[in-house]
Amino acid sequence: MRAPLPTPSQPSPPVVDIQPPLRYKRYAGWILLILIIVMCSIQTKVTPYQLITGLPQMGQLLKEMFPPDWSYIPTIWAPMMETVQIAILGTTIGGIIAVPVALLCSYNIMPNRFIALPVRMILNLVRTIPDLLFAAIFVAVFGIGPFAGMLALVFFSFGIIAKLTFEAIEAIDPGPLEAMTAVGASRLQVIRFGVLPQALPYFMSYLLYTFEVNVRAASVLGLVGAGGIGLLLDRSLGLFRYDRACVIILLTLVIVLIIDYSSTWIRRKLL
Amino acid sequence: MRLIPSKTSSSSSKHIALTRIRFGIIAIVVALIYYWSIQGMHFEGLQSTAGTVSRSILQGFLHPDWSFVYLAEGEDLLRGLLDTLIISILGTVVAAITCIPFAFWASSNMSRHLATSGSGKIILSIIRVFPEIIVAILFIKAVGPGSFAGVLALGIHSIGMLGKLYSETIESIDHGPEEALIASGANRLQVLRYAVLPQVIPQFLSYSLYRFEINIRSATTLGLVGAGGIGTPLIFALQVRNWNRVGIILLGIIFLVVMTDLISGWVRKRII
């Protein structure tokens, strides 16, 4: 899902002293890791003891969730569908915006790095901003409702799809592009007849993949007021109606699984 | 569409017709899906205040509230970021350890029956489906708001993905050392210790670091529902429309994410 940022190649540090035997180095690494963990748990006062004392409470919560209040399904059906609609539109619009940007920052289409590099940096910045934060900002501008959630997903999916697509474009076979340039095709013709046929299956596959991610994201957007099922979940939890919360969670689970399986099936057919 | 124009046999033209029909059906289905989606998106028009709000958001982002970086009484940016970092470190550690039994359970080469590994795989995919925010809300109800709920949420949610990646690693190990050890009379535990673990540990660490990078991003938003970290001051600043503060928190999040990505990428390169 959220892919790591591409790291610029680091200059290797000059070797100054003799390398100690590998075994000590490995032990030092493990000890450092354990030290970090201990320091972290001291700082936040998170201890395994707390975990053990918290478990019965967790069990109590699960007990209150069952039996689920199945009569709640007709009420949550419309918001659930709204969640899917938000995800569909957000992914599509984000994907459409991502195409020209992905072309702009592929080195093999846009050899001018003064354009490609800043565009890539902007893409990296967009991807560091969490979707819920986008949603909270758009709720402030456009008011509470699914439109703010859709816009949040537009930006969120734009970041993912543009990155994945430009990497796919850079990996395409340069042969057809060179052949077309050699016979005098314009830049646009090269993109239309050389790049598009090769990159389109990948693009569609990334679009579907992002859609899967977005359905999950859309199900929690309602927590900040951006439409979808999240608002009802928040409300049932606030009213301590855990049996209703359980129905919402189960229905979300079923919808997400159905979408995941169908999307994976289509993706396998595409590639 | 006309790939074979020289062949004018009936079978190829039939094939073309079939492709066209299939393409048409797909197009109609896609169009219906979009029609349905747009129906659900009722756009009420811009808020009357949208202009001023956007302007103040822009103003806030251009003039971040630098005084929030460090406050003597606490609850400042640095402590929030530190909390976020710690939540994701601990969450990743919890998941990296807890998912090992799940991974062995779900690996098809570790059990004789396909049903065993199959059930493990299903459990992992069910865990993966729950968004971490929902897991966080449940844990907040159970153990109260704070970093601990965040750690548990990330820990449980990450098991799904890490378990899957771990089990794929276990499935792809080289069976030579394992067979050699069995042939020389090693028991199951010894095989695990000397043949399996040395092969999978570097890959496990690398996947855990990758998950850590994802968890940092998730941890920034966990606070929005009350599970500790930088999200808590962020949601307060958003609620009172303090855009200067939102601006500085956003800068802090970007800084934290970029830095951890760089460091973790560097460590990952050294491990493998």
Side-chain angles (χ1 to χ4, degrees):
Chain A
M1 53 204 273
R2 279 147 248 179
L5 297 170
T7 48
S9 57
Q10 306 260 333
S12 55
V15 182
V16 277
D17 56 348
I18 307 155
Q19 295 263 317
L22 202 71
R23 180 176 285 244
Y24 292 117
K25 215 165 141 185
R26 203 194 299 160
Y27 286 153
W30 284 110
I31 290 171
L32 188 72
L33 185 66
I34 292 169
L35 263 179
I36 290 176
I37 295 167
V38 170
M39 268 161 42
C40 286
S41 62
I42 290 172
Q43 171 75 24
T44 47
K45 301 178 192 72
V46 172
T47 55
Y49 170 72
Q50 223 179 341
L51 179 64
I52 294 160
T53 52
L55 274 180
Q57 283 165 290
M58 198 65 210
Q60 181 62 32
L61 184 70
L62 283 178
K63 214 188 289 168
E64 280 178 42
M65 281 185 152
F66 289 93
D69 179 9
W70 297 115
S71 64
Y72 199 45
I73 286 188
T75 322
I76 60 176
W77 187 253
M80 193 68 236
M81 290 301 110
E82 190 180 75
T83 308
V84 180
Q85 290 165 333
I86 291 174
I88 290 177
L89 289 181
T91 316
T92 312
I93 300 173
I96 292 170
I97 303 173
V99 173
V101 176
L103 286 171
L104 266 185
C105 57
S106 318
Y107 287 150
N108 53 350
I109 310 294
M110 180 58 71
N112 185 350
R113 306 218 164 180
F114 287 104
I115 298 173
L117 267 180
V119 176
R120 280 183 185 205
M121 290 218 333
I122 293 171
L123 271 185
N124 282 346
L125 282 185
V126 171
R127 269 183 304 119
T128 54
I129 301 171
D131 45 353
L132 272 179
L133 183 53
F134 274 129
I137 291 172
F138 285 124
V139 165
V141 180
F142 295 100
I144 288 173
F147 188 72
M150 190 201 78
L151 275 185
L153 288 187
V154 165
F155 277 79
F156 180 64
S157 5
F158 161 74
I160 304 178
I161 299 176
K163 171 171 160 85
L164 290 172
T165 309
F166 93 68
E167 280 171 358
I169 292 177
E170 289 201 330
I172 62 174
D173 177 13
L177 312 191
E178 279 163 21
M180 280 182 190
T181 321
V183 295
S186 72
R187 182 79 62 85
L188 257 160
Q189 282 172 321
V190 169
I191 290 174
R192 166 70 186 82
F193 295 102
V195 179
L196 206 65
Q198 290 191 64
L200 196 61
Y202 289 99
F203 173 74
M204 295 305 287
S205 165
Y206 297 146
L207 201 67
L208 282 169
Y209 165 73
T210 314
F211 174 57
E212 291 171 36
V213 177
N214 277 348
V215 173
R216 288 179 174 76
S219 64
V220 293
L221 283 178
L223 295 175
V224 292
I229 193 78
L231 181 67
L232 282 176
L233 178 66
D234 198 33
R235 201 179 289 158
S236 343
L237 285 170
L239 296 170
F240 302 103
R241 287 299 301 266
Y242 294 116
D243 49 343
R244 288 185 168 178
C246 182
V247 172
I248 295 177
I249 291 172
L250 287 179
L251 186 65
T252 316
L253 191 80
V254 169
I255 299 279
V256 168
L257 279 179
I258 291 174
I259 286 175
D260 270 16
Y261 277 110
S262 35
S263 154
T264 312
W265 180 75
I266 300 173
R267 276 202 278 157
R268 208 172 293 145
K269 290 232 146 182
L270 276 173
L271 289 182
Chain B
M1 279 294 123
R2 245 166 254 129
L3 291 172
I4 330 156
S6 58
K7 273 190 191 170
T8 46
S9 67
S10 63
S11 75
S12 81
S13 65
K14 207 172 163 188
H15 180 76
I16 291 168
L18 264 178
T19 325
R20 278 196 184 147
I21 290 170
R22 217 170 66 182
F23 184 78
I25 292 172
I26 292 173
I28 290 169
V29 169
V30 170
L32 280 177
I33 289 175
Y34 280 114
Y35 177 73
W36 172 72
S37 310
I38 292 167
Q39 285 290 304
M41 197 58 53
H42 28 84
F43 178 55
E44 284 100 9
L46 284 173
Q47 298 274 93
S48 53
T49 52
T52 42
V53 171
S54 318
R55 219 168 299 130
S56 61
I57 290 178
L58 203 65
Q59 275 294 320
F61 284 177
L62 289 178
H63 306 95
D65 177 11
W66 291 105
S67 65
F68 183 64
V69 173
Y70 181 79
L71 298 172
E73 66 268 30
E75 292 294 310
D76 55 9
L77 180 71
L78 285 178
R79 263 167 268 198
L81 289 180
L82 185 66
D83 264 2
T84 304
L85 183 67
I86 289 176
I87 290 172
S88 41
I89 290 178
L90 288 180
T92 313
V93 169
V94 168
I97 296 168
T98 338
C99 77
I100 292 176
F102 282 97
F104 278 97
W105 180 10
S107 307
S108 53
N109 56 344
M110 285 292 136
S111 53
R112 233 164 266 139
H113 304 287
L114 209 65
T116 320
S117 63
S119 58
K121 281 188 170 56
I122 289 173
I123 294 221
L124 285 177
S125 67
I126 288 179
I127 296 176
R128 260 203 315 276
V129 167
F130 287 107
E132 54 260 12
I133 295 275
I134 291 185
V135 184
I137 294 174
L138 293 181
F139 276 115
I140 288 169
K141 294 289 171 189
V143 300
S147 312
F148 188 52
V151 170
L152 287 179
L154 287 185
I156 298 294
H157 178 75
S158 313
I159 288 176
M161 185 189 129
L162 277 183
K164 178 172 185 273
L165 291 174
Y166 277 26
S167 75
E168 279 165 6
T169 313
I170 296 169
E171 279 170 3
S172 68
I173 59 169
D174 175 14
H175 288 285
E178 194 184 336
E179 279 159 19
L181 278 179
I182 293 173
S184 56
N187 63 27
R188 244 185 120 67
L189 218 67
Q190 283 171 321
V191 169
L192 200 66
R193 166 70 187 83
Y194 293 102
V196 180
L197 282 189
Q199 290 190 58
V200 295
I201 290 277
Q203 199 66 46
F204 280 11
L205 283 175
S206 166
Y207 282 140
S208 304
L209 277 171
Y210 173 56
R211 185 65 221 187
F212 167 65
E213 291 169 27
I214 297 174
N215 278 350
I216 275 276
R217 290 171 163 79
S218 314
T220 54
T221 52
L222 283 180
L224 293 176
V225 294
I230 191 68
T232 314
L234 178 62
I235 191 77
F236 290 147
L238 279 168
Q239 271 162 1
V240 299
R241 305 266 193 271
N242 187 346
W243 296 112
N244 306 64
R245 188 157 286 186
V246 174
I248 189 75
I249 293 176
L250 199 60
L251 277 182
I253 290 177
I254 292 173
F255 174 76
L256 181 70
V257 170
V258 171
M259 285 315 287
T260 47
D261 274 2
L262 283 178
I263 294 170
S264 140
W266 179 76
V267 176
R268 273 202 284 158
K269 229 175 272 163
R270 307 255 328 210
I271 288 177
I272 296 204

